[in-house]
Amino acid sequence: MANLVLIRHGQSEWNAKSLWTGWTDIGLTERGREQARSAAEKIKDTTFDICFTSALKRAKETWGEISRVIGAKNVKTISDSALNERNYGDLTGKNKWEVEAQLGEGEFLKIRRSWDYPPPHGESLKDVYERVVPYYKSQILPELKMGKNVIVVAHGNSLRALVKLLENIPDDDISKLEIKLSEPYVYDLDKIGKVVSKEILSIGSEVE
């Protein structure tokens, strides 16, 4: 049996301003650091063998806060752009709620949460899935099959893609999944990597 913990980064400077962030490399706010530390308190009884993060600062900073709280500074850490947030294309840097007012709720929700509907010059969740899942299968899953405890610190959409795989969520239902900032998703996996249990550990954060 192995533990897999998924954690979205804490509040970033652009989350605080409700801006589409995507691939822009933005750091955490102090509130985001506090959220990361709150998440760490929820998982401090788990000993991790390896950590995977995206290549973006906000994910790395979140892991930095977590690792200090749980005493995991020396845990092997691998960062890769395969786990980066979705590219929001022409929407990058724009205020979400201003975009919603311009486009209308229906179009806004399709762009924000649907499976295969990219913003102009950006990625859909399907596009994100097609880079996250091969990376998971080639780099993360082998560690889990060896019985190692793994933590993945990444982003709302890269983690939505991974949860879709782990829980076999249909394309039409993935729009219902929202992952809150720094809220740990804890999975127990068997020796072939199949999920046998799941728990979400609330820290009272928001989706943003």
Side-chain angles (χ1 to χ4, degrees):
M1 192 77 71
N3 294 129
L4 171 63
V5 176
L6 310 180
I7 298 184
R8 183 184 172 196
H9 63 82
Q11 184 194 63
S12 73
E13 294 169 5
W14 278 20
N15 284 137
K17 298 176 182 178
S18 297
L19 305 180
W20 301 97
T21 311
W23 290 358
T24 308
D25 206 7
I26 301 296
L28 297 181
T29 62
E30 181 52 39
R31 182 182 178 191
R33 293 181 181 278
E34 291 172 358
Q35 290 168 336
R37 294 192 289 268
S38 294
E41 290 292 336
K42 295 286 186 177
I43 59 171
K44 64 183 180 182
D45 292 335
T46 301
T47 299
F48 293 100
D49 299 294
I50 188 167
C51 172
F52 293 88
T53 78
S54 80
L56 297 171
K57 185 188 302 183
R58 56 196 186 273
K60 294 178 183 179
E61 289 180 348
T62 299
W63 170 238
E65 296 292 336
I66 291 170
S67 65
R68 281 189 283 275
V69 172
I70 67 175
K73 291 182 182 179
N74 296 322
V75 168
K76 181 180 180 181
T77 302
I78 299 172
S79 299
D80 198 284
S81 59
L83 297 173
N84 281 6
E85 178 57 290
R86 177 182 172 193
N87 178 5
Y88 281 103
D90 293 354
L91 296 181
T92 300
K94 294 186 178 181
N95 182 280
K96 295 175 184 178
W97 315 125
E98 291 176 2
V99 170
E100 181 180 22
Q102 292 166 4
L103 299 181
E105 183 180 8
E107 182 73 5
F108 174 77
L109 289 176
K110 283 171 66 177
I111 290 172
R112 192 177 187 203
R113 290 285 178 253
S114 65
W115 169 240
D116 191 14
Y117 196 80
H121 305 108
E123 292 181 304
S124 65
L125 182 60
K126 181 180 178 182
D127 294 325
V128 178
Y129 184 95
E130 289 174 353
R131 61 175 160 84
V132 168
V133 169
Y135 184 78
Y136 172 78
K137 290 181 176 179
S138 66
Q139 303 299 319
I140 301 175
L141 184 57
E143 303 287 348
L144 293 163
K145 287 183 175 180
M146 288 190 287
K148 294 182 180 180
N149 292 337
V150 176
I151 182 168
V152 178
V153 185
H155 306 269
N157 284 295
S158 50
L159 294 180
R160 287 176 72 224
L162 189 47
V163 170
K164 185 181 191 302
L165 172 73
L166 293 169
E167 300 183 23
N168 196 28
I169 298 174
D171 296 354
D172 291 343
D173 291 339
I174 194 61
S175 62
K176 301 171 188 175
L177 176 62
E178 296 185 340
I179 297 177
K180 294 182 179 180
L181 294 168
S182 288
E183 185 171 72
Y185 278 49
V186 180
Y187 294 91
D188 288 329
L189 279 66
D190 64 18
K191 62 183 179 180
I192 63 170
K194 181 179 178 181
V195 173
V196 295
S197 69
K198 169 196 173 184
E199 185 177 11
I200 300 175
L201 305 178
S202 176
I203 66 164
S205 61
E206 304 82 11
V207 175
E208 296 194 20

